[in-house]
Amino acid sequence: MMQDTKLNLTIGVSIIVGIALVAVLSKYDTSREIRKIAKAKNEIQALSKKIQEHYYTFGSFPRALTDSNLQKLIAELPTTDPFSSEKEPYRYVTEDSNFKIYSVGPNGVDDGGRASQGDRLLDIVVEFRKPPAKGKP
């Protein structure tokens, strides 16, 4: 009888420790993901500033992050998307006088620079829209 009580107590403690460990690890993963999101946002914002600097220096947005003039400006900045499984660079898209730079985000899928769908975070995006010239709508 005493042996059964010790066994039940050991199993009970093991289950409690297991549940506590799962709870701690799930918080760790959430915390880790939050840090990755913040890292991506900070890096994308820094790259965005350099792309704008390129625009004001050379009169146009670079065609790609690999543009030689841009490379000189971003040489010290990280350009690898922390959410890309293949360690690819951040995505960069230009259109007229606007650009978008983004990470594939926590889902690891390129959603075309779409930041969210309902309450789901998709891509982590920074968009730049050049203000219209004075006197133009």
Side-chain angles (χ1 to χ4, degrees):
M1 186 76 148
M2 183 68 131
Q3 199 70 345
D4 287 341
T5 304
K6 284 184 179 179
L7 181 59
N8 286 339
L9 183 60
T10 302
I11 291 172
V13 169
S14 296
I15 290 171
I16 291 170
V17 169
I19 291 170
L21 185 59
V22 168
V24 167
L25 289 178
S26 67
K27 284 184 180 181
Y28 173 76
D29 287 343
T30 302
S31 171
R32 192 160 141 207
E33 189 165 285
I34 289 169
R35 283 195 306 271
K36 277 177 74 173
I37 291 169
K39 177 184 187 309
K41 282 182 180 179
N42 289 336
E43 290 175 359
I44 290 169
Q45 287 172 341
L47 288 168
S48 174
K49 288 178 183 175
K50 294 298 182 178
I51 293 167
Q52 291 173 53
E53 184 179 329
H54 180 282
Y55 178 84
Y56 292 115
T57 302
F58 299 103
S60 65
F61 291 119
R63 292 180 184 247
L65 291 179
T66 55
D67 175 277
S68 61
N69 289 324
L70 181 62
Q71 284 294 306
K72 294 172 190 170
L73 296 172
I74 66 172
E76 302 297 318
L77 297 177
T79 59
T80 302
D81 186 343
F83 289 102
S84 169
S85 61
E86 301 296 320
K87 302 297 178 207
E88 296 172 331
Y90 289 112
R91 278 37 175 200
Y92 170 73
V93 180
T94 61
E95 183 179 296
D96 300 324
S97 58
N98 307 314
F99 73 82
K100 183 186 301 189
I101 185 165
Y102 64 96
S103 162
V104 296
N107 69 358
V109 176
D110 184 348
D111 294 297
R114 201 172 52 182
S116 64
Q117 182 176 32
D119 62 348
R120 267 185 53 223
L121 176 65
L122 301 176
D123 296 338
I124 301 166
V125 183
V126 169
E127 288 187 72
F128 176 81
R129 298 195 180 280
K130 186 176 165 230
K134 290 183 180 180
K136 293 188 179 181

